[in-house]
Amino acid sequence: MVIEERTRPVERVIPPESPAPQVRDRVASPSRRVDAVIVNTVLVLVAAVFLLPMVWLVLSAFDPAATLVLHLPEGLSIGNFRDVLNVDQTFRPLWNSALLSFGTGILTLAVGVLAAYPLSRYQSRFNKPFLYTVIFGTCLPITAIMVPVYALFVSLNLVDSTIGTILFLSASSLPIAIWMAKNFMDSIPVSLEEAAWVDGASAFRTLRVIVLPLMKPGLAVVFLYTFIGAWGNFFVPFVLLLDPAKQPAAVAIYSFFGQHGSVDYGPLAAFSLVYSLPVIVLYIAVQRLMGGSGALAGAIKG
């Protein structure tokens, strides 16, 4: 007798879905909310401290009866700009400022890059002592060394000389420029230069053809930092330049302060806006030119 075994299909048992975990709303503790209120209040106060003078500057520039008190002008006028936009009071000092700042920026950038290259590429036991000396040079106050500098300029017949002032401004801004240029140069791989050396390129040609094009954003930062420092420098041109026709705008702005505490607030605000405009335009132009893709994009094959 043949017994036929029939297999019953195995039923798949699906376990019941577990209920989704309930997400409880997190309630901030009272202490955290108090801390957030305190932090936001401090930030608002700090922003107001920096923002209110800018608001006063803009409003006073268009206010014919501007005072030291911040208030909305009854009528907007460009009379303050008409008063200051002349050759002797504005355009010549701005030209002198541009001459000093561009000369200082270019000279400092050139010397700083040449000094930073061996510090970045060649190892020596004198590198760290030299860098420490550079850092110490950034801490020296200009007012502490102006007396011997003025005596040196008198002996060299460089007083009231634009070139002499550019040389001193470049020397005073050179330590921080060397430090910044070295840090930017350290980010460029040495393997790129080694490949050029194998092809017979000299160190100077490698610096000019490979390193400098790759560190354009860094060069722009160093130049802008030096330019802004020279543009806003008041003490050095005030001491070294005696002829009013050679003084920059940072010194010419002092002419709006009269005797016995009287100040022409409207023309002062208008001149300050005109004085700030070239730096803003230069910053935006450099940011547009240097922004975008990274400098090392495609330089190395992985």
Side-chain angles (χ1 to χ4, degrees):
M1 184 175 61
V2 180
I3 300 175
E4 296 181 358
E5 296 182 358
R6 296 181 179 180
T7 58
R8 298 178 60 184
V10 179
E11 296 180 357
R12 187 177 180 182
V13 180
I14 301 176
E17 296 181 357
S18 59
Q22 297 180 357
V23 180
R24 296 182 179 180
D25 297 333
R26 295 182 179 179
V27 180
S29 61
S31 60
R32 289 185 178 180
R33 284 183 291 183
V34 172
D35 293 341
V37 171
I38 294 176
V39 170
N40 292 332
T41 303
V42 172
L43 291 177
V44 169
L45 292 177
V46 172
V49 169
F50 287 94
L51 188 60
L52 288 179
M54 299 299 299
V55 175
W56 174 87
L57 189 68
V58 175
L59 294 179
S60 299
F62 296 94
D63 188 2
T67 60
L68 191 59
V69 180
L70 178 62
H71 65 279
L72 293 176
E74 297 179 356
L76 298 178
S77 174
I78 59 173
N80 294 327
F81 290 95
R82 285 199 301 263
D83 294 338
V84 300
L85 290 179
N86 54 71
V87 175
D88 295 330
Q89 197 170 17
T90 300
F91 294 113
R92 183 179 289 116
L94 287 178
W95 168 254
N96 295 334
S97 294
L99 189 62
L100 289 175
S101 301
F102 276 107
T104 302
I106 295 173
L107 182 60
T108 303
L109 185 62
V111 178
V113 168
L114 293 177
Y117 183 74
L119 294 174
S120 176
R121 291 299 186 255
Y122 302 103
Q123 299 298 327
S124 173
R125 61 180 181 177
F126 299 105
N127 283 5
K128 285 187 177 181
F130 183 79
L131 288 176
Y132 291 150
T133 305
V134 168
I135 295 175
F136 176 75
T138 61
C139 303
L140 289 176
I142 298 298
T143 54
I145 61 176
M146 279 308 298
V147 173
V149 166
Y150 185 81
L152 178 64
F153 272 51
V154 170
S155 61
L156 296 177
N157 197 20
L158 290 177
V159 177
D160 201 21
S161 171
T162 302
I163 298 178
T165 306
I166 291 175
L167 291 176
F168 179 72
L169 289 174
S170 301
S172 60
S173 58
L174 192 59
I176 188 62
I178 295 175
W179 183 264
M180 294 172 65
K182 179 190 177 298
N183 291 332
F184 285 117
M185 202 172 293
D186 288 341
S187 62
I188 299 176
V190 187
S191 57
L192 298 176
E193 298 178 68
E194 291 175 349
W197 293 338
V198 171
D199 292 338
S202 61
F204 184 77
R205 180 175 176 82
T206 305
L207 172 65
R208 181 172 56 88
V209 177
I210 295 178
V211 178
L212 293 183
L214 291 178
M215 61 177 298
K216 282 183 179 180
L219 297 178
V221 171
V222 176
F223 177 80
L224 272 179
Y225 185 86
T226 308
F227 181 91
I228 294 174
W231 183 268
N233 197 307
F234 167 82
F235 188 67
V236 173
F238 181 75
V239 174
L240 298 181
L241 295 177
L242 305 179
D243 189 0
K246 297 180 180 180
Q247 292 177 348
V251 180
I253 199 173
Y254 186 72
S255 62
F256 295 99
F257 296 87
Q259 296 179 353
H260 308 291
S262 61
V263 181
D264 296 332
Y265 292 106
L268 175 63
F271 183 84
S272 299
L273 289 181
V274 176
Y275 175 58
S276 305
L277 188 61
V279 177
I280 297 175
V281 172
L282 180 64
Y283 177 80
I284 295 175
V286 172
Q287 188 180 25
R288 291 286 183 87
L289 291 176
M290 298 302 170
S293 59
L296 296 179
I300 305 176
K301 276 189 175 182

